[in-house]
């Protein structure tokens, strides 16, 4: 078995992934952001799947943040 690791989405090329099994693990960006928020005084972090859900559950004193498609 041969395993290739691609550390960034910017390094992924369609030609390299065609007809191959691909497993994507996107934990470092989320966990780095969460740890940084907590380190800078956030009392908690609530991860959600969508922007609309974040807006729906947010309270007035909450700070919303996130990214979609690698854009803040």
């Amino acid at each position: 078995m041969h395993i290739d690791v691609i550390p960034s989405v910017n390094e992924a090329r369609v030609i390299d992934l065609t007809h191959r099994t691909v497993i994507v693990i996107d934990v470092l960006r989320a966990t780095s952001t969460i740890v940084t928020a907590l380190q800078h005084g956030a009392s908690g972090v609530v991860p959600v799947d969508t922007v609309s859900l974040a807006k729906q559950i947010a309270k007035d004193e909450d700070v919303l943040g996130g990214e979609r498609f690698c854009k803040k």
Side-chain angles (χ1 to χ4, degrees), residues 2 4 8-9 11 15 21 27-28 32 38 41 47 55-56 64:
H2 179 80
D4 291 316
S8 168
V9 69
E11 297 177 34
I15 192 72
T21 300
V27 295
L28 295 179
S32 297
L38 294 171
K55 290 178 179 180
Q56 180 182 354
L64 300 180

Side-chain angles (χ1 to χ4, degrees), residues 29-30 33 48 50-51 54 63-72:
R29 288 198 326 224
T33 301
V48 295
T50 64
V51 174
V63 176
L64 300 180
E67 57 98 350
R68 283 286 184 256
F69 310 109
C70 300
K71 296 198 184 279
K72 294 179 183 179

Side-chain angles (χ1 to χ4, degrees), residues 37 42 44-46 54 58-66:
V45 175
V46 180
K59 298 179 182 100
D60 289 338
E61 66 274 10
D62 291 343
V63 176
L64 300 180

Side-chain angles (χ1 to χ4, degrees), residues 11-37:
E11 297 177 34
R13 298 181 313 163
V14 173
I15 192 72
D16 295 332
L17 305 177
T18 303
H19 304 295
R20 298 182 70 187
T21 300
V22 177
I23 298 172
V24 177
I25 302 172
D26 181 17
V27 295
L28 295 179
R29 288 198 326 224
T31 54
S32 297
T33 301
I34 291 168
V35 167
T36 301

